[in-house]
Amino acid sequence: MVLTVLLLVLLAGLAGSSPPPEPVVCARGMADCTVSNAFGSFLDRTICRAANATFPRTEKELVAAVAAAAAAKRKVKVATKHSHSFPKLACPGGRDGTIISTERLNRVASVDVAKGLMTVESGMVLRDLIQAAAAKGLALPHSPYWSGLTIGGLLATGAHGSSLKGKGGAVHEYVVGMRIVTPAPASQGFAVVRELCADHPDLDAAKVSLGVLGVVSQVTLALQPMFKRSVTFVTRDDSDMAEKAARWGDLHEFGDMAWLPQLHKVIYREDDRVTIKTVGDGLNDHLGFRSNPTAPLISSRVTMELLEKNINAVARCKAANATVSLFETAAYGFTNNGSLFTGYPVVGFQHKIQASGACIGSQEDALLTSCAWDPRIQGTFFYTNAYSIALSKVPAFVADMQELRDRCPLSFCGIDTSGGMLIRYVKASSAYLGKPEDSIDFDIAYYRSYTKGEPNPHYEVLDELQQMALRKYNAIPHWGKNRNFAFEGAMAKHPKAGKFLEVKRRYDPDGIFSSEWSDQVLGINGSPAIFEKRCAIEGLCICSDDSHCAPEEGYYCLPGKVYTDARVCSFQPAF
Ligand SMILES: Cc1cc2nc3c(=O)[nH]c(=O)nc-3n(C[C@H](O)[C@H](O)[C@H](O)COP(=O)(O)OP(=O)(O)OC[C@H]3O[C@@H](n4cnc5c(N)ncnc54)[C@H](O)[C@@H]3O)c2cc1C
Ligand SMILES: *[C@@H]1O[C@H](CO)[C@@H](O)[C@H](O)[C@H]1NC(C)=O
Ligand SMILES: *[C@@H]1O[C@H](CO)[C@@H](O)[C@H](O)[C@H]1NC(C)=O
Ligand SMILES: *[C@@H]1O[C@H](CO)[C@@H](O)[C@H](O)[C@H]1NC(C)=O
C-alpha cells in the first residue's frame, strides 16, 4: 500500500526540504509577471498576470510603490512570500495590474516586553514571528495551525486557531495597531501611511480587509508571557458528537475536534494552559506539514487517483482506515521531547505547540523533498471547504450531517483520509468582516483532480454538505478557503459589511486595490459563481442544469438526499 509507504517515510522525519516555489514569477526583470499560490493554481485554475512587480524592503519603498500605482490609476494587489489562499485574492484586476510583494518586509520593528507588545512588518511569516516572540519570552496566544502564512495574509482572511476563551481563537483579536499604506490625492504625494491605534474605529475594517483597503505595512500584536500547554488526543465514538460540539469549546481553552465520519469516531483535543513549571518540552511537528520525499508523494497520488475513480468505494475506505490508524499511532506528529512520543499528555511551550510547518524550512535540496502540495511534484492536490456556523445552530447541523453520513457512509471516507473534519471555535468579533457570533468552523480538505471538470462519485455528498451549511444554517465561508459558489451572498451574512465598504470607499476611492474577484465577493460588481459546462464539478457554481455536471459520464443535476433544496451532480449508473 503506497499510502502506507508514504506515511512510514513521514514518520522517519526528514531534515531538508525544498522551499515552496515563488508565487510571483517575472519573465523580464520585474515585468511581465504571473502570480499564483503555493498550489500553483487558484480555484478556477487560472494563473494571474501582472505587468510588473515590486519587492519593497522598507515602508518608504512601500509608499513609493503605492504612490506609483495610484498616480497611474493602475490596479494593484499584495502578494506574500508563499501565498496560501485558495481563492484568487492576490490577482490584480485589469490587464496591466501590478504586484507589491511583502516578501522582503519580514522584520521585527519593535518589542516592548513589559507591555507585551510586538510590532512586525506585514510580510513576516508566522513561523518566524512565533520564534521572535519566544526569544523575548512572549507568546501569540492563538494562531492557525500551519505556520507558513504571513501575518498580513492571515489577518486579511480572518485566519484563526480554536478557542472561546479570552478574546478567542482568531489572530485579529490580538491586533492593537496597524500601519496601512493607502492611495491619496496628488497633493499628498499619491500615497499616505495611516496609523491605526487600538481605539481607532477603522482598525475594525483593517484587521480583516481581504487586502482591498491598501497595503498593511506593520502590525502590532498584544502578546502574553510565554506559557505551557498540555495536549491529549482522545478518540471516542461519535454518537453524542452534536451535544459535545456545543460544549467542548467551554471545557478546554485550545479544544478542537476532528470528526471521522465513516469510522463513526471523533478525535477530541483536550488542550489547556498549564503552569510554566509543569515538566515537558513537547513539540508539534504535524505529520501533514513535514517535508515529504518526492517518489512516495508521486506514487501515493497515483494510487489515490485510482481509488477516487473507482466506483467500488470499499478499497478507498480501507485506505482511509489505514491512514487514520497510522496518524493515531504516530500521535499526529507530536512528541514529548522533540524527538520521541512516549504518551499523552504532551506538555510543551506555546511556541512549540501552537503551529507547525517543517516543510517550509529553507534548505534547498533540489526537490528531493517538499511540502506535499508542491506543484512542481504533482503530488497532493486538494480542495478545502471551511465555514462557520453560529454555536446555537451547531447541534442541528451535526445531526443533519450524521443523517447524510448514515445514508452514504462510503462517500465520507475522503474526509477520514485527510484526518477528519476539523471543528474549531471562533468567537464573535468586532472586525467588520470577522464572525458576527460565537461560531464553530467546520473544515475539510479532500481530493481534487488535476483534470478540469473530471467528475467524482463522492463529490455529491460533499457538495450537499456545503450547500446545507451555507444555505440552511447560514454559514459564513472562510475568506481564504472554499470554492467559488460558497462566496455568493457572503457579505450579506456580515451585519457590518456596510461599514467595511464605507472605509473602503474612503481609503481607496478609485478602487485600485479591487479586482474582478474582490468586487464579486464583496457584492460590488457581479457574482463569484461561474456558469459553464461542468462548473458544478469544480465548485464554480451550484448546478441548475445537467450540463453543469457531466451527463455524458452519468452525472446529472439532482436534489440532495437530506437537504433536498441542494442541487448536486449525482452519479446515476446506466444499467
Ligand atoms: C496548509 C494550510 C493550512 C491552513 N491552516 C489554517 C488554519 O489553521 N486556520 C485558518 O484560519 N486558516 C488556515 N489556512 C488558510 C490561511 O490562513 C489563509 O489562506 C491566509 O490568508 C493565507 O495567508 P498568506 O500569508 O499565504 O496570504 P495570501 O494568501 O498571499 O494573501 C491573502 C490575502 O491577503 C492580502 N494581503 C497579504 N498581505 C497583505 C498586506 N500586507 N496588506 C494588505 N493585504 C495583504 C493578499 O492580497 C490577499 O488578498 C491554511 C492554509 C493552508 C494552505
Ligand atoms: C509597470 O507596467 C506599466 C504598464 O505596462 C508601466 O506603465 C509602468 O511604468 C511599469 N512600472 C515599472 C516600475 O516598471
Ligand atoms: C474501517 O474501520 C472500521 C472500524 O474499525 C470498520 O468498521 C470498517 O469496516 C472499516 N472499513 C473498511 C472499508 O475496512
Ligand atoms: C527524548 O527522549 C528519548 C527517550 O527518553 C531519548 O532517547 C531522546 O534522546 C530524547 N531526545 C531529546 C531531544 O531529548
Side-chain angles (χ1 to χ4, degrees):
M1 168 49 54
V2 181
L3 279 173
T4 314
V5 172
L6 169 62
L7 281 159
L8 290 176
V9 182
L10 271 173
L11 301 186
L14 285 143
S17 171
S18 292
E22 290 282 324
V24 180
V25 177
C26 300
R28 294 176 289 114
M30 293 292 169
D32 203 355
C33 309
T34 58
V35 189
S36 186
N37 57 14
F39 321 102
S41 173
F42 292 110
L43 293 174
D44 58 358
R45 296 180 189 266
T46 52
I47 290 181
C48 300
R49 304 208 156 273
N52 40 36
T54 51
F55 295 77
R57 290 173 183 278
T58 61
E59 188 173 84
K60 205 172 154 212
E61 289 179 11
L62 178 57
V63 171
V66 174
K73 287 199 163 53
R74 288 177 58 216
K75 295 285 190 181
V76 54
K77 277 285 180 203
V78 181
T80 60
K81 182 162 187 204
H82 302 304
S83 185
H84 279 104
S85 293
F86 291 78
K88 54 179 180 186
L89 282 164
C91 279
R95 296 233 144 256
D96 66 343
T98 193
I99 284 288
I100 296 176
S101 170
T102 60
E103 185 177 342
R104 294 174 195 167
L105 287 169
N106 58 1
R107 286 157 302 221
V108 174
S110 63
V111 188
D112 183 334
V113 175
K115 290 191 179 137
L117 299 177
M118 183 162 92
T119 300
V120 301
E121 293 176 337
S122 69
M124 194 165 202
V125 174
L126 181 59
R127 188 174 140 109
D128 301 331
L129 189 159
I130 288 171
Q131 291 305 330
K136 299 282 181 187
L138 297 171
L140 176 64
H142 296 281
S143 67
Y145 294 179
W146 158 244
S147 61
L149 315 163
T150 64
I151 185 70
L154 69 88
L155 289 174
T157 61
H160 55 83
S162 181
S163 191
L164 287 179
K165 305 284 180 184
K167 294 178 183 172
V171 181
H172 52 261
E173 305 305 341
Y174 302 88
V175 172
V176 293
M178 278 178 135
R179 289 171 69 85
I180 179 168
V181 183
T182 65
S187 59
Q188 294 170 37
F190 292 108
V192 288
V193 181
R194 294 174 191 257
E195 181 156 16
L196 307 177
C197 299
D199 54 359
H200 198 296
D202 292 350
L203 196 55
D204 281 329
K207 281 195 285 200
V208 183
S209 74
L210 303 186
V212 300
L213 299 182
V215 190
V216 175
S217 165
Q218 294 187 352
V219 179
T220 303
L221 295 159
L223 306 179
Q224 296 176 359
M226 180 55 70
F227 58 89
K228 279 186 167 178
R229 289 159 71 162
S230 169
V231 189
T232 300
F233 290 102
V234 182
T235 304
R236 282 203 285 263
D237 175 69
D238 74 358
S239 53
D240 62 351
M241 172 185 160
E243 176 228 337
K244 275 263 170 39
R247 290 191 305 120
W248 194 248
D250 291 327
L251 297 178
H252 300 284
E253 180 175 1
F254 304 93
D256 72 23
M257 297 163 55
W259 183 37
L260 303 167
Q262 186 264 157
L263 283 167
H264 290 247
K265 286 181 181 167
V266 181
I267 305 166
Y268 289 93
R269 181 182 184 131
E270 297 176 358
D271 189 342
D272 292 284
R273 209 177 276 249
V274 291
T275 116
I276 198 93
K277 293 193 190 110
T278 315
V279 176
D281 189 16
L283 179 72
N284 167 10
D285 183 9
H286 198 275
L287 289 181
F289 297 159
R290 290 186 187 175
S291 55
N292 304 268
T294 304
L297 257 184
I298 294 170
S299 49
S300 81
R301 174 68 188 190
V302 170
T303 308
M304 207 161 183
E305 285 181 357
L306 292 172
L307 291 172
E308 288 292 329
K309 283 174 195 158
N310 194 345
I311 301 302
N312 169 2
V314 172
R316 183 170 169 269
C317 292
K318 277 213 170 94
N321 277 10
T323 308
V324 169
S325 314
L326 268 164
F327 269 77
E328 191 173 359
T329 310
Y332 312 98
F334 281 73
T335 54
N336 299 80
N337 69 353
S339 63
L340 197 73
F341 176 70
T342 48
Y344 294 119
V346 170
V347 173
F349 291 103
Q350 165 71 349
H351 69 292
K352 293 189 179 180
I353 300 285
Q354 66 187 128
S356 68
C359 71
I360 56 160
S362 54
Q363 282 157 280
E364 180 56 69
D365 68 2
L367 280 180
L368 281 173
T369 64
S370 64
C371 294
W373 50 79
D374 192 309
R376 296 166 298 188
I377 300 296
Q378 296 243 318
T380 308
F381 192 47
F382 59 106
Y383 286 119
T384 169
N385 299 345
Y387 39 78
S388 306
I389 293 180
L391 261 180
S392 56
K393 296 180 190 159
V394 161
F397 175 61
V398 171
D400 269 356
M401 287 204 293
Q402 290 184 323
E403 187 183 339
L404 185 57
R405 183 272 315 273
D406 293 344
R407 296 261 197 117
C408 357
L410 296 183
S411 279
F412 280 80
C413 288
I415 299 181
D416 293 22
T417 302
S418 60
M421 172 182 272
L422 188 55
I423 294 177
R424 295 191 282 188
Y425 297 87
V426 190
K427 267 185 111 164
S429 181
S430 63
Y432 298 153
L433 299 187
K435 310 296 175 210
E437 288 180 82
D438 288 357
S439 307
I440 293 186
D441 178 82
F442 295 85
D443 190 332
I444 58 170
Y446 58 101
Y447 175 89
R448 180 181 188 187
S449 172
Y450 280 112
T451 311
K452 186 174 182 189
E454 180 168 80
N456 184 305
H458 310 295
Y459 284 176
E460 174 178 357
V461 295
L462 300 182
D463 287 350
E464 177 173 348
L465 206 62
Q466 194 171 6
Q467 289 179 38
M468 181 160 79
L470 291 165
R471 298 193 158 187
K472 182 170 174 190
Y473 293 99
N474 214 30
I476 296 182
H478 190 304
W479 298 114
K481 301 187 179 186
N482 293 298
R483 295 168 306 149
N484 282 40
F485 81 81
F487 295 102
E488 269 216 286
M491 281 299 265
K493 296 172 180 174
H494 291 80
K496 294 175 190 149
K499 289 187 161 182
F500 180 82
L501 295 175
E502 181 275 318
V503 176
K504 181 181 180 300
R505 280 190 297 271
R506 195 149 41 79
Y507 279 24
D508 181 22
D510 293 325
I512 64 168
F513 282 92
S514 299
S515 62
E516 292 83 357
W517 174 254
S518 67
D519 279 350
Q520 289 159 356
V521 168
L522 295 174
I524 293 170
N525 192 2
S527 156
I530 296 173
F531 287 92
E532 59 184 27
K533 272 193 176 164
R534 301 203 177 192
C535 56
I537 305 256
E538 293 276 318
L540 299 173
C541 70
I542 292 177
C543 68
S544 54
D545 187 278
D546 287 337
S547 70
H548 299 148
C549 297
E552 314 77 13
E553 296 182 46
Y555 290 80
Y556 299 91
C557 183
L558 291 171
K561 292 185 168 66
V562 170
Y563 175 53
T564 50
D565 286 349
R567 289 293 175 273
V568 295
C569 295
S570 175
F571 182 59
Q572 304 290 313
F575 46 105

